[in-house]
Amino acid sequence: MGTTNGTSRSKRSTIEDVASEAGVSVATVSRAMRGLPNVAISTRAHVVAVAGRMGYTADPAASRLAAGTTKTITVVIPNLSGWYFSTVVAGAEAVCTEAGYDVLVVGIGSQKDLSRILSEQYHLERRTDGLVVIDVAVAPDQADSITQRGVALTSVGSRTAGHPSVRIDNETVGRIAADHLVELGHERLAIIGAQKDNPLSFDVPTLRHRGFIGGLASHGLAVDDVRLEGGNFGVDGGQEAMAALLDHPEPPTAVFSMSDEMAFGAIMELNDRGLVPGRDLSIIGVDDHEFSRVVALTTVRQSVASHGAAAARLLIEAMQPPDGQGAAADGQLAAPIEPAEIVAPIELVVRGSTGRVAQR
Amino acid sequence: MGTTNGTSRSKRSTIEDVASEAGVSVATVSRAMRGLPNVAISTRAHVVAVAGRMGYTADPAASRLAAGTTKTITVVIPNLSGWYFSTVVAGAEAVCTEAGYDVLVVGIGSQKDLSRILSEQYHLERRTDGLVVIDVAVAPDQADSITQRGVALTSVGSRTAGHPSVRIDNETVGRIAADHLVELGHERLAIIGAQKDNPLSFDVPTLRHRGFIGGLASHGLAVDDVRLEGGNFGVDGGQEAMAALLDHPEPPTAVFSMSDEMAFGAIMELNDRGLVPGRDLSIIGVDDHEFSRVVALTTVRQSVASHGAAAARLLIEAMQPPDGQGAAADGQLAAPIEPAEIVAPIELVVRGSTGRVAQR
DNA sequence: GGTCGGACTGTAAGCGCTTACACTCTCACC
DNA sequence: GGTGAGAGTGTAAGCGCTTACAGTCCGACC
C-alpha cells in the first residue's frame, strides 16, 4: 500500500526528461520527434539522439488525449477464424502496422453485436480513427453515425455508399462459373449456397446466383435449376447441400458452390459416395482457398489478402487531413470526392474437379 | 481552417457534462460508472441513467492516461493468416472482448520484428496491459524486460519460464503418432517437418521428433528413419518433403507429418503420383485442422481455439491486482506464485489416411 | 447529549502529451 | 540603417479522466 504501484516498474522517461536532457523545451521535443516542420535540422537530430539514448517513446495515451487522434484502426469481422477473414485481416494488418497504426480487431458474433459496436459509441469515437469492416453490411444510418463521429470507414466484400470499398464483381463470378460449366457440356446444374433470389438484394450469394443464372440464360439454358442453401457457408453446409442434391432422383451433373469451403464439404460427400469430382460430377467453387489445390478444386479466384491490404490503404488515405486545398469551395463541407471503389480482379482457375459432362 | 476540426464532429459529452447534468461531482460519476464502492446505490443508478441518456462513455485515452492502465491486450503472432494462428487468435479475442479488453494484434514477419516489439518499448509500456504470444520463443531477458515494464505475458504453443502458458505435450504427440503407426505394422518410417535433433532444444518440431523416435524405440524399432525437413510448415513444405521421400529408392510405408498442413501437401504429392493415402502409404498429421476430415487425414488433435481462450483467461487473471492479501510477507515482492501452465489434452483421431502396412 | 466511525461526496492535482500564441533572432531588401 | 518576414523556439493551457485527501452527515454507542 505504498504510494507506488507495488510492482516497482522503473520510472520511464517522459517528454520533459528528454527536453531537459536535450536542453530544449517540450514543445521542441514534441515537434522534433514527430517530424514536424519548424525545427532546425541540427536540433531535431540532437533531440532524436537524446530520446533514443534515453529510450523515450511518446506515451500513446497522452498523445491520443492531447491530439484527439488515436493512430488506431479497427477491423470488424464476423469471425476471426476461417480462412477468408483471417486472410483479409492479415493483409490489412500488415499495411496498417507498416503505416504506424495499431490494429484492433473485434469479432462480431451477430448482427446485434455489430449494432452495438457501430451505433453505440463503444468502439468508435475516441477509440479508433478508422474502421475496416469485412463482409459486414453497414446500414446507411450506421455509416452516417460513424462519419459524424469522425471515424473513417472502408468495407471489403460489400460496399457502403459514400465510403471506399474493395470487393469483387460477384455477378461476374457467377457468370464465369456458368460459362465454364456450360462449355464443358453441362446442362443439369445446381447451386450450393444460393439465396432466394431477391432482385432487390445486393448481398454476395444473391449476386453470384444472379450472375450464374444470367450466364446460363445467355447460353440458352433454362434456369429451373436445383438450388440448395447450405445454411452455413462452411464445410458442413456444403456437405449437407451436396447430400441433398445427390438424394434427388435426378441429380445435377455440375454444381456451382458459392465458396470453396462449401465445395470442400461437397467433395467430401462425393467421396463418401464413391463419386469422383470432375468425372462423376463437376464442381466449381469461389475463392481459391489455400487448400483448393489440395483437392484439385476448380474455382473462381479472388486474391483475398490483397483485398485486405487495399482496404487498409484506402482507409489510411481517407484519414489523411483534407490537405487544405480547395477548402475555398462555397459549400460548408470539403468537396465530396467520390470515394474509391476498387473492384478487384477475379480469375478462373481450372483444376480437376470440373470435367466434360459424363457420357451416358 | 476554423478553430474546429473541419469536420464538425458533434461535441461529445464528457464526464463533466454528466456530472453537472446529474448534479454530482465528476469524482462521483467516475466512481459510479466504474462500479467502485462508496457510492450510494441511488446515486449510482441516477448517474448511470443520466450517462446512458446522454450517450456517455469514458474516453479511453483519458482513462488510460489517468489510470495508467490500458485495458488492452496485445496478441503477437508470426502471421495472422493460416489456420492455426487465426484460430488461436479467435479464441483469445472472444475472451478478451468479453472481459472488456481491446485486442490489438501484431504480426511479426521475423524474429527481428519480435525483438523490436519486445525489447524496444514500442508495443509495451503504456500501450498494452498484457501480451499473449503465440508460437513465439521469448528469451528470458526479453521476458524480464516485459515484466519490468509491468506488462503481463502468457504464451501459447511454447512456454516462457515464470509466465503462464498453454501448450500441449509435444513429446507425447510424437509418441502417439509412433504408437499408431507401429500398431499398424509399419516399420519403415519417416518424419516430415523434422528438425535436426538438438537435445538441448525445446522447440516444437524437436520435441515431437524426440517423442516419435522414443515411441519407435519403445517398440524395439530402429531409428534410422528418413527425415525430411519441409522448410516451411505449410502445404508446400509438406509436398516437397513427400516428393523427396518418394524419390528415395526405398520409400517409407508411413510418414509422420508434424502438421496437418504439411500432411495436406504430402497427400497432394501422393495423389499426383497415383498413390492412395492409407493404402499405399500411411500418413498421420498433427492438429486436426478444419480440413483434415475433408481429406480423411488421421491426426493427433489439439483443440486450438480453446488454447487461445485459455491463454486469454490466464492473462487476464495474471493482470488482476495482487489482491492486497499476504502483502505482509517480509520479502519485497509479492509471494512468487507459480504461474499456471496448462498442458492441453491431445487425442488421436483415426481417419482414412493410415492403414495396415501394405502386403508386399 | 457528545463523540466517533463509517458511508458518501466533493475538490483539485495530476497523468504526459499537443499546440496556439508569443517571442527572439536573422537576414533580405529598400 | 531600418523594417518586415520568416524560421526556430518557448510558455502554458488544455485534452478528459482518476484518485488522494478532505470534508460532511448521520446514526450508534457510552
Side-chain angles (χ1 to χ4, degrees), chain B residues 15 30 34 56 59 66:
Chain B
I15 197 173
S30 176
R34 287 178 303 145
Y56 169 78
D59 181 329

Side-chain angles (χ1 to χ4, degrees), chain B residues 286-338:
Chain B
V286 180
D287 277 346
D288 198 24
H289 186 288
E290 101 186 273
F291 293 116
S292 295
R293 62 193 186 97
V294 174
V295 292
L297 176 65
T298 294
T299 192
V300 181
R301 169 187 296 164
Q302 58 173 325
S303 89
V304 178
S306 72
H307 294 5
R313 272 188 285 267
L314 290 181
L315 221 217
I316 291 172
E317 197 176 313
M319 294 186 314
Q320 298 314 311
D323 233 16
Q325 60 179 353
D330 55 325
Q332 47 193 343
L333 292 175
I337 302 167
E338 266 323 289

